Amino acid sequence: MNNDKLPKVLYQVGAAILVSFVFIALPTDHDTGISLLCFVKPSQAAEESWKQEFNAVCSQTNDSMSLSREELQLLIVRCEKLKPVIEGQEETTRKVYGKRLEMCKNLLVFVLETKK
Amino acid sequence: MRYIMIAVAALFVFVGLAFAEGGSMKRKPLPFEFGSVVIENFSVNAGLSPVVFEHWLHRSKYSCKVCHVDIGFGMVAGSTKIRAADNGKGFYCGSCHNGKSKDNKKTIFEACSGKDSQKCGICHFTGRNPQREQAFAEFAENLPKERFGNGINWQLAEEKGLINPINHLEGISIARNALAVQKDFSLDAKIAGMPSIIFSHSKHTVWNGCELCHPDIFLGVKKGATKYSMIDLFQGKYCGFCHKKVAFPLSDCQRCHVGPIGQ
């Protein structure tokens, strides 16, 4: 093997090992031993993303009275950004999460009004 | 003869008036019936009886918030327009009635799966059901008694640890911080000699959270800005939203009018 090409091969082997470690470190289905990453479709990942945002925003309703006006306004903007994403979901998801989001946003707007 | 004719005519007038408003006399619900909600959006067209939802059974296990905030059931009967397909996807009734969730280590039956038609009748049934009446009687037997509604003092039952409603459904509810306890406040009664109302935020938020009441039911931002009347309440507004149909009824005056007598 040519000595000039050796570092390049080493880099490639190193990268492959690193990628393998990342896969091993990812959550694994304990029954099958298969990395759960194999089952995650791009659409699922996107769904998880909006749900995480929904949970992050609406988990703060219990704290809404102690939030500042700026914090409340920011949360309301995040609710408004979530609305079209939820409206793009399938019928039942849209109905359930649309209502939940509306209740969450309405409360934040209500608390903001109380602080005027 | 003339007096008899007048008496008969008067009787007809009184009976006519009594039936005039709703077309028939409304029967006071029995304790096991109080809070039950008949849901009829799509059932009859699908060849099934409407669903009779028993509040007493579900409220003994779950807080109001779990169903009306986290799962997304509306506060007015039929407003949610639940479809069998929604339940099948794990929403609404299917959030728990999915054949996997457990209640006291017992698997909760699957709703609207289409696998076992005999199970449809558990919910889609409007007739008398002695087994359910018996189940209610056994459930209520050792709980603190109340004069109206279900005949159960639910609040006391929870305080004594006799019921322990779940406030979080894994995978559905959002993890929230505990609510800061707010002070009780007093609302003056409008009638002279009537004790004022002591409203306890803590008693209400423990089961409801914030967004169940604000702003949909209580829109008023400043205390005292909204004037509540018993007529509004009996029409199902404000407190009457829950305290007419499910929570202890408005006829139980002494549950709210417990403060000092106003001027």
Side-chain angles (χ1 to χ4, degrees), chain A residues 16 25 38 58 66-67 73 76 81 105 111-112:
Chain A
C38 305
C58 296
S66 59
L67 298 176
Q73 276 164 341
I76 292 164
K81 279 186 184 167
K105 186 194 155 191
V111 176
L112 184 65

Side-chain angles (χ1 to χ4, degrees), chain B residues 49-60:
Chain B
S49 290
V51 167
V52 177
F53 173 81
E54 289 172 319
H55 255 111
W56 72 264
L57 176 63
H58 292 82
R59 69 178 294 191
S60 69

Side-chain angles (χ1 to χ4, degrees), chain A residues 61-63 90 92 95 100, chain B residues 70 81 86 89 172 177:
Chain A
T61 53
N62 278 9
D63 309 313
E90 64 87 27
T92 314
K95 196 162 71 164
R100 292 179 68 179
Chain B
D70 298 343
K81 297 194 168 41
D86 299 335
K89 288 178 203 163
I172 291 171
N177 290 331

